[in-house]
Amino acid sequence: MNSSKPNLSRRDKALKDLIRIIRPIEIVEFGSWEGRSCIGFLEIADELGIQTKILCVDTWLGSHEHWFNKLPNSEWGFDSLKVAEGEPQILETFRSNVRDSGFENLVSILRCQTEFTGKYLRENHFQAELIYVDACHEFHAVKRDLEIAKSSFKNINISGDDFVWPSVRRAISSFARKNKFGIYVAPDQTTWIVLPRGEKNISVEFEKNEWKKKNTLKVYVSETANSYFNSLKHYVKKNIIKL
């Protein structure tokens, strides 16, 4: 492994727990961007002696947050797209980071929207043990990605980032409630995993590492109510206050 690793590697306890407990040989990542979690996963797996490979699925074209510049001067701002001649340059940043990390031979990419991946994954017989969902923040997009992950593999551990986003919490709780999964959130309050309620052994391991089990129904009701009231507030502000 090359000693000149990029500074963008994400190396936190949550990712270490995922690799150490699940010990995946293959990971599919929905949303890779500059490669932080991808490289972090591979560094951790390498230290644990696990020959992990990752398929990174992304458009590398940015999200609503980027293009509408909802969070300027942040990683979600328009400037982070590094647009040149009308095209974001993030894929080149990703390739450079992976190459500099020394893990280029363990990373493959699928450049498309996640909604197009299900058929590809099934027909190419991917046998991933972990899917890491981190592509979008919108409710319907996240829920769709979760359903794709579940339908693409018979036995899969589905984890991801951004539990701090209300729309993401709503999507995860809706998916978990429908499929009778439990939700576990890491101490960082942003990394999560959904597990079938019968998976006692693996859930115990996460609980030992201070991942907290959430009340799925409570999260779902709370976030659905918040979504309704926010929509109502927006409607009143836009259509009634102006009268």
Side-chain angles (χ1 to χ4, degrees), residues 125-139:
H125 308 291
F126 279 88
Q127 299 297 321
E129 295 86 5
L130 173 66
I131 289 187
Y132 191 74
V133 178
D134 190 18
C136 295
H137 299 117
E138 292 82 12
F139 167 74

Side-chain angles (χ1 to χ4, degrees), residues 22-142:
I22 298 173
R23 302 187 70 83
I25 301 302
E26 289 191 15
I27 297 173
V28 174
E29 184 176 56
F30 284 177
S32 296
W33 205 232
E34 294 181 335
R36 296 184 186 188
S37 53
C38 167
I39 296 168
F41 277 134
L42 292 173
E43 287 180 347
I44 296 164
D46 182 68
E47 291 171 1
L48 294 173
I50 306 170
Q51 293 296 312
T52 301
K53 295 182 179 181
I54 297 184
L55 171 67
C56 296
V57 181
D58 204 315
T59 63
W60 285 279
L61 294 176
S63 64
H64 290 85
E65 290 88 2
H66 293 109
W67 286 98
F68 287 98
N69 204 29
K70 293 182 178 180
L71 298 169
N73 302 316
S74 75
E75 64 176 317
W76 300 105
F78 178 80
D79 289 344
S80 69
L81 291 173
K82 304 176 183 177
V83 175
E85 298 183 353
E87 184 177 5
Q89 302 300 304
I90 299 301
L91 178 57
E92 293 309 311
T93 301
F94 170 85
R95 290 187 188 278
S96 176
N97 289 339
V98 170
R99 185 168 54 248
D100 290 345
S101 75
F103 293 117
E104 191 173 13
N105 64 325
L106 298 176
V107 177
S108 55
I109 74 168
L110 182 59
R111 192 179 190 189
C112 69
Q113 296 179 21
T114 53
E115 63 189 279
F116 302 144
T117 61
K119 184 178 177 64
Y120 178 88
L121 293 172
R122 290 190 294 271
E123 291 192 354
N124 286 275
H125 308 291
F126 279 88
Q127 299 297 321
E129 295 86 5
L130 173 66
I131 289 187
Y132 191 74
V133 178
D134 190 18
C136 295
H137 299 117
E138 292 82 12
F139 167 74
H140 292 291
V142 176

Side-chain angles (χ1 to χ4, degrees), residues 146-165:
L146 294 170
E147 294 291 354
I148 291 171
K150 181 177 181 296
S151 65
S152 298
F153 302 92
K154 290 183 179 179
N155 298 300
I156 187 69
N157 296 289
I158 305 173
S159 180
D161 196 15
D162 297 320
F163 197 78
V164 292
W165 287 68

